[in-house]
Amino acid sequence: SQQGEEDPQALSIQEGENATMNCSYKTSINNLQWYRQNSGRGLVHLILIRSNEREKHSGRLRVTLDTSKKSSSLLITASRAADTASYFCATGKAGGSYIPTFGRGTSLIVHP
Amino acid sequence: DAGVIQSPRHEVTEMGQEVTLRCKPISGHDYLFWYRQTMMRGLELLIYFNNNVPIDDSGMPEDRFSAKMPNASFSTLKIQPSEPRDSAVYFCASSIVLSGTGELFFGEGSRLTVL
């Protein structure tokens, strides 16, 4: 079964708006990663947040982590049409080897 | 570095035929993963290797699936015999470490269609 599940399954916004995607997971983790997948391509790593961090920024990306709620969010600010892609979170169980497991992803469409 | 290289990019075959998917990981990466992606089930981990040794194959759906890594620069995923429900995109990924701090590098995938 998937460790991480993204929500919503699909998101459609206008260029310039912010996009927020959420990830929920089941067991304690060491850290959480977000990946992006353009249509027909492989996944590309975006950002990693460790379990002792609450927030992390990278350019227009902002990731938060709430370990008490076992959830994370990815915020893309001032979205662009080029941000259209699927976004996945990847988690690995704490205390053992990190076996990256993914959810079904959030499909983001940014309309120009 | 050219990244993770997968072949073929597309394969169409008939039910019952043998399918072999190939992967060349990034040089120096000790871990190699095979994933399968479908609309229904998302991205599923099939098997992963460490230093060419299979560590966990619990995600392999059934005996029709097998994976090998004869050396550090090459891995195969074989399906024999193939069935229509095997139609999916198969991804290979490699990583330097398995601590959660190392990112996965994915290939572009092999899209398999079994008629």
Side-chain angles (χ1 to χ4, degrees):
Chain A
S1 61
Q2 267 81 7
Q3 161 75 318
E5 286 293 340
E6 296 85 356
D7 171 67
Q9 286 189 324
L11 184 59
S12 181
I13 60 174
Q14 294 295 128
E15 211 167 24
E17 295 179 341
N18 295 342
T20 300
M21 289 155 272
N22 303 296
C23 170
S24 59
Y25 56 90
K26 298 173 184 174
T27 62
S28 297
I29 59 171
N30 284 330
N31 48 58
L32 184 146
Q33 301 184 27
W34 283 92
Y35 287 77
R36 165 192 169 128
Q37 182 182 31
N38 284 16
S39 179
R41 307 294 297 275
L43 279 72
V44 175
H45 182 264
L46 291 176
I47 192 168
L48 176 149
I49 186 165
R50 301 178 192 278
S51 58
N52 61 354
E53 297 176 309
R54 291 297 167 258
E55 188 171 311
K56 197 163 183 179
H57 296 255
S58 177
R60 293 184 296 110
L61 304 181
R62 172 178 167 248
V63 171
T64 62
L65 181 63
D66 187 335
T67 53
S68 67
K69 295 181 180 178
K70 291 186 171 57
S71 68
S72 173
S73 67
L74 171 67
L75 168 67
I76 304 174
T77 60
S79 63
R80 305 166 181 168
D83 295 327
T84 294
S86 292
Y87 293 82
F88 296 83
C89 64
T91 59
K93 293 180 182 178
S97 294
Y98 182 89
I99 311 301
T101 57
F102 294 83
R104 290 180 176 82
T106 291
S107 176
L108 172 66
I109 297 176
V110 181
H111 300 279
Chain B
D1 200 317
V4 175
I5 300 173
Q6 291 188 244
S7 65
R9 289 294 313 277
H10 302 274
E11 172 115 6
V12 180
T13 190
E14 293 189 346
M15 183 174 62
Q17 296 297 307
E18 177 180 295
V19 174
T20 300
L21 308 178
R22 298 173 178 79
C23 175
K24 176 178 167 52
I26 294 173
S27 177
H29 284 194
D30 292 334
Y31 291 88
L32 182 140
F33 304 81
W34 281 100
Y35 287 89
R36 177 172 70 175
Q37 186 176 38
T38 61
M39 290 292 291
M40 289 294 293
R41 300 175 68 88
L43 203 62
E44 304 172 277
L45 176 64
L46 300 177
I47 185 172
Y48 81 95
F49 295 82
N50 175 215
N51 291 325
N52 313 337
V53 177
I55 303 300
D56 185 350
D57 65 354
S58 59
M60 297 284 263
E62 46 196 278
D63 292 345
R64 296 185 297 106
F65 286 69
S66 63
K68 294 182 180 179
M69 193 165 185
N71 57 63
S73 60
F74 184 65
S75 177
T76 60
L77 178 67
K78 186 174 292 187
I79 308 172
Q80 166 65 16
S82 58
E83 297 182 1
R85 60 191 167 123
D86 302 330
S87 296
V89 182
Y90 292 81
F91 287 100
C92 175
S94 68
S95 178
I96 294 176
V97 295
L98 202 65
S99 66
T101 57
E103 66 184 90
L104 296 183
F105 292 81
F106 281 79
E108 298 286 44
S110 294
R111 180 175 293 276
L112 173 64
T113 302
V114 183
L115 303 175

